[in-house]
Amino acid sequence: DSMRRTALCLGSVALASGKVYFSETFGDGWESRWTPSEWKKSDGTQGTWQLSAGKWFANEAEDKGVQTAEDSRFFGLSAGFDSFSNAGKELIIQYQAKYEKDIECGGGYVKVGPKLSDPKAFGDPTPYNIMFGPDKCGYTKRTHLIFNYKGKNVLKKSDLAYKQEGEGTSHVYRLILKPDNTAKVEIDGEKIYEGSLKEDWELLAPKEIKDPEDKKPSDWVDDSMMDDPEDKKPDGWVEEKRIVDSKATKPDDWDDEEDGEWEAPMIDNPDYKGEWTVKRISNPAYKGFWEAKKIANPEYVDDDNLYKYEDFGFIGFDLWQVKGNTIFDNIIITDDATRHVSSDQQQFLENRDPTKMLTDPA
């Protein structure tokens, strides 16, 4: 199909100026290139994958992608490729995701990482280098961009926009990771984020920490307000809310033996002034909020190779979905920014009309 031709053409063109490490349009033979996971098979929650163009498409044959087939399942699927390192090069990871219905709770992200020894065991515990793509549960929605550093998966400090709105619409997710330790995320050709791995992820230990030896002085005053020592409760201030009704008299027919001892009823006190509180004034001795002084963190080690991974050898989907039927298509991993959009995808982005979202020209 045309997407496969484009991908193949892209591969040959890119040889001169860059390299395509992996590309997949889910044409003929895709099942030989991808391995379904059996990580959740034993407990009966492993979902299955099928080839589908979904409910909305321009050309059914060309627009087929791999689809999560059921609801409330774990879905695992991975493909291997020749191992490579992104040292000294840009890394571009791009793919298309189309939600046929609101996922409710689940993900549509990819994991890219070192060569898998057993693709059938691929699942949540499997180490990866980068996780990228949409994730939602209820009102929590974001596009994940997680980097693994020294064995820890580190989330971005603030969330990236979700952008997976409008069922039946394909969205193109693109990550560009650069050797200057910056990353750029584009969704449908629109820049969602560009920034520094050092600043926007807690990959490195903080440069400074609070001095553990620094203690707050015992006479430090951190109350900004104080009771006014000049303010005194006025004489005759009445704080009783209820009083005995002095005008009440025991009824003539009251019998102490039968009715018990008579007590006058309580009434609201007409002289009640409310609870008296002392006036608050600024505290002249206030020193402000005390903070320990900062010192250089002995644990801090700078690293100008945060972006770099020694081994990329697989890409996979490892997802939980309450509502399935997500379709993934047109995956490419390359190191050349000038070659990473297929002509079909470029045309899709340029012709994208938000008013006609039900026809998917992906």
Side-chain angles (χ1 to χ4, degrees), residues 64-129:
K64 282 183 177 172
V66 70
Q67 182 180 43
T68 55
E70 302 94 2
D71 291 345
S72 298
R73 288 286 184 274
F74 287 94
F75 296 96
L77 187 69
S78 67
F81 43 82
D82 291 342
S83 285
F84 72 92
S85 170
N86 66 324
K89 298 188 286 270
E90 281 196 358
L91 174 70
I92 295 107
I93 298 167
Q94 177 178 295
Y95 72 104
Q96 260 172 249
K98 178 167 68 166
Y99 285 19
E100 292 280 283
K101 53 192 175 186
D102 180 4
I103 200 164
E104 290 181 16
C105 187
Y109 42 78
V110 292
K111 290 180 174 180
V112 190
K115 201 83 181 163
L116 295 175
S117 55
D118 180 9
K120 286 183 179 174
F122 173 55
D124 192 49
T126 305
Y128 60 84
N129 298 339

Side-chain angles (χ1 to χ4, degrees), residues 56-67:
W56 301 288
F57 48 81
N59 177 316
E60 186 168 10
E62 288 185 11
D63 292 347
K64 282 183 177 172
V66 70
Q67 182 180 43

Side-chain angles (χ1 to χ4, degrees), residues 222-249:
D222 48 18
D223 288 325
S224 63
M225 302 292 285
M226 59 178 279
D227 291 350
D228 181 357
E230 304 296 313
D231 193 25
K232 298 282 185 285
K233 182 158 59 170
D235 295 337
W237 185 279
V238 178
E239 286 189 332
E240 286 79 31
K241 203 171 185 178
R242 304 271 291 168
I243 56 168
V244 174
D245 184 357
S246 58
K247 293 178 184 159
T249 54

